[in-house]
Amino acid sequence: MRLERWGTRNVLAMAKIFVGAQDRVFVLTGAGISAESGLPTFRASDGLWAGHRIEDVCTPEAWEQNPALVWQFYSERRAQGAKAEPNPAHHALAELEKQIGERFFLCTQNVDDLHERAGTLRLTHMHGQLAKSRCEALCGAAPVDDSTIYKSLAEVGRCTCGARLRPHIVFFGEVPLEMELIQRKIGDATVMLVVGTSGSVYPAANFVHWARQGGARTVYIGPEPPLNASAFTQVVEGKAGAVIPGLFELESS
Ligand code: NAD
């Protein structure tokens, strides 16, 4: 039994999400799902990411003005991400996908690869991936696998077109990736589960509204209500690793 918040009412109820044989589940995850794997969120550190202001390491202006600092920051994130392990929340979502197959889709704002390492197959990284780099000139070359922990800017390679390689990260102010796919999957969904995101980064904070417009049930999971909490039909307060395992009740076929 957990305290749940339904709209403006608080009620005590079993925290179970029923997934019927026709349901299609869209999951959106944010930094909170990786917190129990030891990767810090912004919120945990007063809006800083690993001690840095976002403006200094995660904007097009930061890349223009100080690419060495940007690469140092993402090299540190690569090193930290490689040491982290998926936690029970990542594993429970991968297990749900095994059960319902193509009726599952996951969109993460995270740049770590903990969902993949837990076994999730049907997913997209709307804000990019730590373990890839891409051409800063957007010449059309695909992002390349790159987990290198660079010690200096001089070590960073160049694209085949000659431009500099930058981290394959969507900086604040840039357009997120795969938005058409994401919108289509939200349109198809009958259940939306949002985990560990503060509801302050757009367009992800709007996904719940898009899902509600399509008639989906919308559930948030995290230790505190997100800024957009009132848009959810249900908010379950708790840590992802404690709440998600055992959360789903599947209709037996
Ligand atoms: P945020 O830091 O703004 O918010 C994190 C949210 O997670 C908070 O609402 C907090 O209550 C919740 N949370 C903390 N511990 C939790 C737990 N154990 N279980 C469930 N929820 C928990 O992060 P955001 O809203 O995802 O937005 C930040 C942006 O930062 C994203 O675009 C993302 O790319 C980037 N980011 C990524 C990582 C990562 O890849 N692991 C880490 C930090 C930031």
Side-chain angles (χ1 to χ4, degrees), residues 29-36 39-44 48-49 54 58 77 87 89 108-114 126-128 130 169-170 172 195-201 220-227 238-241:
T29 64
I33 197 165
S34 297
E36 291 161 83
L39 300 181
T41 66
F42 288 146
R43 280 259 165 136
L48 299 179
W49 190 354
I54 300 310
C58 197
R77 305 281 70 71
N87 67 52
T108 186
Q109 296 173 87
N110 294 345
V111 295
D112 66 53
D113 63 354
L114 296 180
M126 67 180 289
H127 291 162
L130 271 179
I169 299 288
V170 176
F172 282 88
V195 184
T197 173
S198 54
S200 59
V201 178
Y220 179 81
I221 294 168
E224 61 195 351
L227 291 178
K239 291 187 174 182

Side-chain angles (χ1 to χ4, degrees), residues 40 200 237 243:
S200 59
E237 289 182 29
V243 173

Side-chain angles (χ1 to χ4, degrees), residues 3-74:
L3 183 65
E4 298 180 8
R5 187 163 293 157
W6 290 78
T8 53
R9 290 176 300 136
N10 285 334
V11 292
L12 264 178
M14 291 299 292
K16 283 277 182 193
I17 297 177
F18 178 74
V19 180
Q22 304 302 319
D23 276 324
R24 305 184 75 85
V25 180
F26 182 102
V27 183
L28 170 68
T29 64
I33 197 165
S34 297
E36 291 161 83
S37 296
L39 300 181
T41 66
F42 288 146
R43 280 259 165 136
S45 47
D46 291 332
L48 299 179
W49 190 354
H52 291 269
R53 293 188 323 143
I54 300 310
E55 298 84 343
D56 296 337
V57 292
C58 197
T59 60
E61 295 76 20
W63 174 247
E64 276 306 311
Q65 287 157 20
N66 197 346
L69 177 64
V70 173
W71 262 121
Q72 182 197 324
F73 175 76
Y74 284 104

Side-chain angles (χ1 to χ4, degrees), residues 79-165:
Q80 190 182 40
K83 285 189 212 136
E85 294 293 336
N87 67 52
H90 297 103
H91 287 297
L93 291 174
E95 184 54 37
L96 175 65
E97 182 182 5
K98 278 200 194 115
Q99 304 286 329
I100 67 172
E102 63 167 22
R103 292 186 290 121
F104 177 96
F105 187 76
L106 188 147
C107 170
T108 186
Q109 296 173 87
N110 294 345
V111 295
D112 66 53
D113 63 354
L114 296 180
H115 284 300
E116 288 93 328
R117 283 163 52 198
T120 296
L121 299 172
R122 296 167 178 89
L123 85 165
T124 193
H125 285 266
M126 67 180 289
H127 291 162
Q129 289 170 269
L130 271 179
K132 291 190 176 187
S133 299
R134 68 173 161 83
C135 175
E136 72 165 344
L138 295 176
C139 72
V144 291
D145 291 339
D146 183 8
S147 300
T148 314
I149 294 160
Y150 294 112
K151 302 264 185 319
S152 75
L153 196 55
E155 292 177 17
V156 181
R158 290 195 171 255
C159 178
T160 46
C161 76
R164 292 183 301 191
L165 282 181

